[in-house]
Amino acid sequence: MHAAAHSVPATESTDLAARVAQLEARMARAPDPDGMTLLVFSGELDKLLAAFTIANGAAATGMSVRMFFTFWGAAALKERTLLGGKSLVERAFGLMLPGGLKHRALSRMDMLGVGRRLMAREMRRKNVALLPELVAQAASLGVEIYLCEMSMEIMGIAPQELIDYPNIQYCGAVKFADLAASGNTSLFI
Amino acid sequence: MSEPHTVDLRGLKCPTPIVKLNEEFRALDAGAELIAVASDRAFELDVQAWCRRTGHELLTLEHDEQTLTARLRKRVG
C-alpha cells in the first residue's frame, strides 16, 4: 500500500518529463514568426524590385530573410558571361541570357527597353533605390541568398559569373522546403 | 536629459527610411529616444508596424503636410 501510494507521483513525474520532452521537440520544429522565405522565380526588373524591397523591409524589422533564386530569378544573378569549359548549348544560353542586374527588362510595358529606362529615370528622380542599391542594402542587412543548383546546371551558370554577394549558398528543393517550413512567411515572386 | 538626436529620413523611399532607422537604432542605447523625420507616405504605417514587431516604442507620431515626425524609444532588454 505504502509503495503504491509512492508510485503515483513517480509515474506522474516521468509522464510530465516525457510530455515536456515531446513539447520541446515540437517547439524545435515550430515555424519562426520572424522567418521569411522568398522564392524568386522571376528575373524581370519589376519583380526583383518588389522582392528586394520586401526582403529589406522585413530584414530591417529584425526578421531573418532568406531568398531562394530559381530559373529566371537565378539567371538574373548572373553578372558576367565566361565562355570557357562549357558546352555549345550552355554557351548559347550564356550569350542569350541578358546578364546583370542592370540589364533587367520589365514584365510589362518594357517596350524593347524604353519602359525600363523611363522607370529608372523616374526612380532616380523620386529617389527610389535602384536594383543594385537594393541588393547591396540586402547584403548589409544580412539577407541570405540561396541558389537553385539545378537552374545553374540547366542554364550553365558558373559561380564565378554571379554577382558579388556575401556567402551565396547552392542548394535544392529540399533546402527550400526546409527554409519555407521553418518560417511563418513564404512568398513566391 | 538632453533633447534626443534627430535622424532626417526626408526624400528617402520605401524601404530605405526603415532600413536607415534600423541602423540608427542599432547604435542607440537601450531606453534612449530618437526623433525620425520622414516624407515617405508609407512611413506612417510602416514605422508603426516596425515598432510592433521589434518591440521598440513609438511615443508620438505627428504629421504636417510634408513630413511625418516620429518620436521613438529603444526597447530595454
Side-chain angles (χ1 to χ4, degrees):
Chain A
M1 265 249 245
H2 196 75
H6 268 96
S7 74
V8 176
T11 323
E12 255 177 16
S13 74
T14 32
D15 189 39
L16 195 67
R19 281 164 63 191
V20 168
Q22 220 173 49
L23 206 64
E24 276 174 352
R26 200 181 297 174
M27 285 296 288
R29 283 172 55 87
D32 175 8
D34 283 332
M36 178 184 273
T37 312
L38 287 87
L39 196 161
V40 186
F41 180 91
S42 313
E44 295 111 328
L45 177 64
D46 41 2
K47 297 187 184 187
L48 292 169
L49 284 171
F52 276 99
T53 301
I54 292 165
N56 293 0
T61 307
M63 296 178 76
S64 55
V65 183
R66 294 79 56 122
M67 302 175 89
F68 178 83
F69 287 82
T70 187
F71 282 89
W72 312 116
L77 298 185
K78 201 187 76 167
E79 191 63 57
R80 53 193 85 87
T81 300
L82 306 171
L83 293 177
K86 287 189 180 180
S87 74
L88 194 64
V89 177
E90 283 174 347
R91 278 187 211 186
F93 249 124
L95 294 172
M96 282 188 302
L97 285 174
L101 296 172
K102 295 188 192 89
H103 302 98
R104 303 280 101 207
L106 293 172
S107 66
R108 297 187 60 187
M109 291 168 57
D110 189 59
M111 301 174 289
L112 299 169
V114 177
R116 84 189 80 143
R117 276 186 202 102
L118 284 174
M119 185 179 273
R121 202 183 69 178
E122 284 305 286
M123 285 172 70
R124 234 175 267 126
R125 203 166 67 81
K126 290 166 185 166
N127 206 20
V128 177
L130 298 172
L131 189 55
E133 295 158 36
L134 283 174
V135 174
Q137 205 175 66
S140 70
L141 283 164
V143 171
E144 293 173 16
I145 288 189
Y146 292 85
L147 240 116
C148 171
E149 174 63 36
M150 192 185 69
S151 299
M152 293 178 69
E153 189 87 13
I154 293 172
M155 298 189 228
I157 303 168
Q160 311 87 269
E161 295 176 318
L162 297 171
I163 59 162
D164 291 320
Y165 196 92
N167 198 27
I168 293 180
Q169 298 188 72
Y170 310 97
C171 65
V174 175
K175 182 63 187 174
F176 166 74
D178 178 49
L179 288 170
S182 66
N184 266 2
T185 312
S186 297
L187 304 171
F188 182 95
I189 296 175
Chain B
M1 204 165 145
S2 59
E3 186 65 9
H5 172 60
T6 298
V7 52
D8 185 3
L9 306 170
R10 285 173 302 177
L12 302 173
K13 298 288 156 63
C14 173
T16 311
I18 293 290
V19 171
K20 283 257 153 52
L21 182 64
N22 182 55
E23 275 169 23
E24 291 283 337
F25 255 67
R26 224 178 275 168
L28 208 62
D29 293 328
E33 292 182 17
L34 185 82
I35 294 170
V37 185
S39 57
D40 182 13
R41 238 180 311 181
F43 190 73
E44 185 163 10
L45 290 184
D46 276 6
V47 74
Q48 291 178 55
W50 184 77
C51 285
R52 196 160 48 240
R53 290 208 67 87
T54 55
H56 302 309
E57 205 178 337
L58 183 60
L59 303 170
T60 57
L61 181 61
E62 291 159 5
H63 56 98
D64 59 34
E65 259 156 54
Q66 267 93 45
T67 57
L68 288 149
T69 306
R71 194 181 175 111
L72 306 121
R73 187 191 287 135
K74 183 162 174 167
R75 189 178 72 178
V76 181

